[in-house]
Amino acid sequence: MALTLSDVKRIAHLARIEITEGEAAQTLGQLNDIFVMIERLQSVDTSRIEPMSHPLGGSQRLRPDEAVNANVRDAALGNAPAQQDGLFLVPKVIE
Amino acid sequence: MSAAELSRMTVAELGQSLSTGSVSAVELAQSYLDRIERHKDLNAFLDVRPEVTLAQARAADARIARGEGTPLTGIPIAHKDIFVTRDFASTASSRMLKGYMSPFDATVVEKLAGAGMVALGKLNCDEFAMGSSNENSFYGNVLNPWDRSAVPGGSSGGSAAAVAARIAPAATATDTGGSIREPAAFSGITGIKPTYGRASRWGMIAFASSLDQAGIMTQSAEDAALIFNSMLGFDPRDSTSVERPAEDYTRSLGSGLNGLRIGVPKEFFGEGLQPDVEKAVREALAEYVKLGAKLVDISLPNAELGIPVYYVIAPAECSSNLSRFDGVRYGHRAAEYGDLIDMIKKSRKEGFGPEPRRRILIGTYVLSHGYYDAYYIQAQKVRRIIADEFQQAFKQCDIIAGPVTTSVAFGFGEKAADPVAMYLSDLYTIPGSLAGIPGMSLPCGFGAKNRPVGLQLMSNYFEEAKLLGVAHRYQQATDWHTRIPKDFT
């Protein structure tokens, strides 16, 4: 199953990555080459196989429910592209 | 001791010299900093801060003087720029994180510093550890010390080149589909990834969380074992960290090989394997037979499906992990934009290079509505088939051996325009990564254009000590791992 140009643009939108017409056309060819390789998986009979989500299986370990207060606000904000009064600044979202 | 003599010493030898006082940690650090400066053209290092390194070295000397040193105190180490560090910039070789200063150290970095190791700086790699040639770094190519026209391998290309050029005695690295073993093979050094869950992923910039695992690159298996003793172990901050008692990874270094069954998978010697690599690997297997091991024919029938499985699972997990880069909290923000969505889209387009963008798109697609079961779940099922085949194989053998790569290091640009050709570089390393078992690469000779060849050894889960012992026995009997590229002796 081959992707179309509009698929590529839709995926790029979902992934929140800007893409031009020219880039979308180039990406389309590359993604289709990759999907030809991936399609080989469809021929494997996996009807009785459980998906493997983690190499060692088992369930997720939970830590004790104890409050941890690692106050790193200022250090974390130090890497923000724009910040003020302890807040991250973004363009206005509500008109 | 001369600077050249110091650069040839292994971690084990440096530990001796430091504890007897024949060299100080400060002298050693300075000598490596000088070498790093002299061989800047390799582009292995992205951030070097001599004042940080020398301060750590002075602290190590004081610790040794107090009689509180460990076998690693005062020994320099460099970190792949995937581990976050408080004292050096942490970029993942991406424009997205240019100049990023982490508020904390990765657990692996913290543990090695805790043992007294001295950080030399941060090493170049493929952007977000995605690549097999280090050509995907925003900060330029790393040159292979054996041949400057060849790639060093990737994604841990800077780590491999640094150890090969002896500008670092050891380097941390990470492996998602082969990013330790493949560059170790291409650069003629020793590299090992442990069982998934052994090394903490806390502070390791995430690519594909069910596969990412830290490991080490060194001159020898013995050095890797020494460093593993301080580097690995349970970390409550990593939810996939394995809770097991501490181990001495050097405990099998003196073991003989009599009766050891080495499984040789026929699928690793099929079409595509270059004759020069096959010859060197077969000779290494013959050496093992001389040392008392027995070769057993085994089969991993679906191992070759590892590549399609990997290129569904790794991009899926990468698209999820990299969604945190939005130009809001940290990382690159575009200079000009309209609304919030436009700001995020432009920031991500500019901040990520072509390979992360490509993988994010693949991942977004395979996880999208209507395709999740057909791609992602199907890939997870085939992943289990591959992992189960390893368990079948380990009923017939103790160790699995074969080539690391189909060919020796290729040249710059040879595969850069063809993603699928590049992805095939990891044909023999991906199956072990999918299973989550330990794997390593040892230098075992030279192939075309006098470029190094790697022997891959894999063991079952949690058998790193045995694996390192088997590798060490080979390195006692051969001298491939002591070879140094001619401009760096």
Side-chain angles (χ1 to χ4, degrees):
Chain A
M1 187 214 63
L3 299 182
T4 64
L5 199 62
S6 69
D7 287 329
V8 173
K9 288 192 264 187
R10 184 179 58 89
I11 301 164
H13 171 69
L14 288 173
R16 299 291 186 266
I17 296 176
E18 189 180 71
I19 196 164
T20 64
E21 285 288 329
E23 288 161 351
Q26 196 201 358
T27 304
L28 175 65
Q30 290 172 339
L31 294 191
N32 276 329
D33 286 350
I34 294 165
F35 275 99
V36 165
M37 172 187 88
I38 291 173
E39 284 303 321
R40 293 177 53 213
L41 295 178
Q42 304 307 327
S43 62
V44 184
D45 178 8
T46 55
S47 49
R48 269 190 286 252
I49 311 283
E50 279 295 305
M52 177 175 170
S53 56
H54 183 279
L56 303 171
S59 53
Q60 191 92 328
R61 176 172 45 76
L62 299 175
R63 70 167 174 83
D65 186 17
E66 288 158 5
V68 179
N69 186 12
N71 188 359
V72 293
R73 192 185 78 167
D74 294 340
L77 278 166
N79 279 299
Q83 48 113 353
Q84 188 190 313
D85 303 331
L87 303 167
F88 296 108
L89 296 187
V90 295
K92 193 173 172 184
V93 256
I94 302 166
E95 291 305 324
Chain B
M1 255 173 287
S2 77
E5 281 171 322
L6 284 178
S7 75
R8 285 193 289 270
M9 289 169 74
T10 63
V11 168
E13 290 162 350
L14 289 172
Q16 285 292 318
S17 299
L18 284 158
S19 65
T20 59
S22 59
V23 67
S24 74
V26 168
E27 284 164 352
L28 190 55
Q30 189 59 57
S31 135
Y32 270 101
L33 290 169
D34 293 345
R35 259 181 98 78
I36 291 166
E37 179 63 26
R38 189 162 356 118
H39 297 297
K40 260 167 107 166
D41 68 306
L42 291 176
N43 200 29
F45 276 85
L46 295 181
D47 196 8
V48 178
R49 304 187 184 202
E51 71 286 0
V52 169
T53 301
L54 292 170
Q56 291 183 12
R58 281 192 294 273
D61 278 331
R63 184 169 169 178
I64 293 167
R66 290 195 306 271
E68 294 166 6
T70 77
L72 299 176
T73 303
I75 296 174
I77 187 160
H79 295 296
K80 182 177 182 180
D81 203 7
I82 281 291
F83 297 94
V84 298
T85 44
R86 220 193 289 255
D87 296 327
F88 301 93
S90 302
T91 72
S93 287
S94 180
R95 182 184 184 196
M96 183 59 89
L97 285 172
K98 191 171 184 197
Y100 177 79
M101 293 304 293
S102 168
F104 66 95
D105 280 331
T107 299
V108 160
V109 171
E110 188 181 86
K111 284 174 84 87
L112 294 174
M117 293 197 92
V118 173
L120 290 171
K122 300 297 282 292
L123 294 161
N124 205 341
C125 57
D126 279 304
E127 187 176 355
F128 287 100
M130 298 174 195
S132 308
S133 66
N134 218 120
E135 289 166 287
N136 296 334
S137 168
F138 178 69
Y139 305 100
N141 290 338
V142 176
L143 308 186
N144 189 320
W146 293 94
D147 180 342
R148 285 175 166 79
S149 66
V151 303
S155 67
S156 311
S159 304
V163 174
R166 306 299 195 253
I167 57 176
T172 54
T174 61
D175 188 299
T176 304
S179 284
I180 292 177
R181 288 159 287 163
E182 188 247 24
F186 280 5
S187 299
I189 56 152
T190 301
I192 177 167
K193 78 165 278 280
T195 307
Y196 178 88
R198 279 281 206 196
S200 171
R201 293 189 298 109
W202 171 262
M204 221 172 90
I205 297 172
F207 158 22
S209 301
S210 78
L211 294 158
D212 293 344
Q213 185 57 207
I216 194 79
M217 289 179 158
T218 49
Q219 294 178 29
S220 69
E222 181 186 21
D223 285 0
L226 282 168
I227 295 174
F228 268 5
N229 277 352
S230 293
M231 177 177 164
L232 307 186
F234 174 65
D235 181 4
R237 294 175 294 190
D238 170 4
S239 66
T240 55
S241 177
V242 179
E243 211 164 350
R244 288 172 74 97
E247 280 187 33
D248 177 8
Y249 293 96
T250 67
R251 68 181 186 273
S252 301
L253 292 181
S255 301
L257 301 180
N258 275 334
L260 182 87
R261 297 166 303 163
I262 297 181
V264 182
K266 66 170 188 281
E267 292 79 9
F268 281 32
F269 291 86
E271 200 188 333
L273 179 63
Q274 297 301 308
D276 56 335
V277 173
E278 176 163 5
K279 180 170 180 286
V281 169
R282 297 261 186 218
E283 282 167 6
L285 295 175
E287 181 66 36
Y288 269 113
V289 171
K290 257 173 41 190
L291 293 170
K294 199 174 88 181
L295 301 184
V296 184
D297 290 326
I298 60 162
S299 178
L300 298 167
N302 285 294
E304 56 150 6
L305 287 174
I307 294 211
V309 169
Y310 181 85
Y311 281 98
V312 171
I313 291 175
E317 295 182 5
C318 126
S319 75
S320 171
N321 274 321
L322 270 55
S323 65
R324 63 171 58 94
F325 296 100
D326 54 9
V328 173
R329 292 158 299 160
Y330 43 73
H332 177 76
R333 177 182 287 196
E336 286 177 36
Y337 46 83
D339 63 7
L340 178 63
I341 297 289
D342 189 51
M343 183 194 88
I344 294 172
K345 282 186 170 183
K346 285 196 164 71
S347 300
R348 285 166 66 78
K349 180 203 178 145
E350 294 174 8
F352 293 132
E355 187 62 27
R357 288 206 303 266
R358 192 151 45 231
R359 296 199 194 188
I360 289 169
L361 294 179
I362 299 169
T364 303
Y365 183 71
V366 300
L367 292 177
S368 65
H369 182 68
Y371 299 100
Y372 183 81
D373 286 338
Y375 289 111
Y376 190 59
I377 297 295
Q378 176 72 356
Q380 286 191 325
K381 288 178 174 176
V382 181
R383 180 179 185 179
R384 184 176 301 282
I385 293 175
I386 293 169
D388 287 348
E389 286 175 358
F390 275 105
Q391 290 313 302
Q392 288 303 315
F394 280 122
K395 286 179 182 161
Q396 304 163 54
C397 62
D398 306 296
I399 291 284
I400 293 175
V404 179
T405 54
T406 53
S407 71
V408 294
F410 46 87
F412 289 102
E414 269 180 45
K415 299 186 181 182
D418 183 351
V420 173
M422 186 69 89
Y423 295 171
L424 289 169
S425 306
D426 296 325
L427 182 64
Y428 303 140
T429 52
I430 280 177
S433 294
L434 291 171
I437 57 175
M440 66 187 300
S441 174
L442 313 180
C444 71
F446 293 87
K449 300 183 181 174
N450 217 22
R451 294 174 185 173
V453 177
L455 170 72
Q456 182 170 209
L457 299 178
M458 291 178 273
S459 76
N460 213 341
Y461 301 109
F462 305 115
E463 292 183 346
E464 291 85 358
K466 177 163 85 180
L467 181 62
L468 288 160
V470 171
H472 180 62
R473 188 70 197 88
Y474 177 79
Q475 293 187 330
Q476 286 177 309
T478 59
D479 68 354
W480 301 114
H481 65 295
T482 66
R483 307 288 180 92
I484 302 171
K486 64 175 168 25
D487 297 343
F488 303 91
T489 53

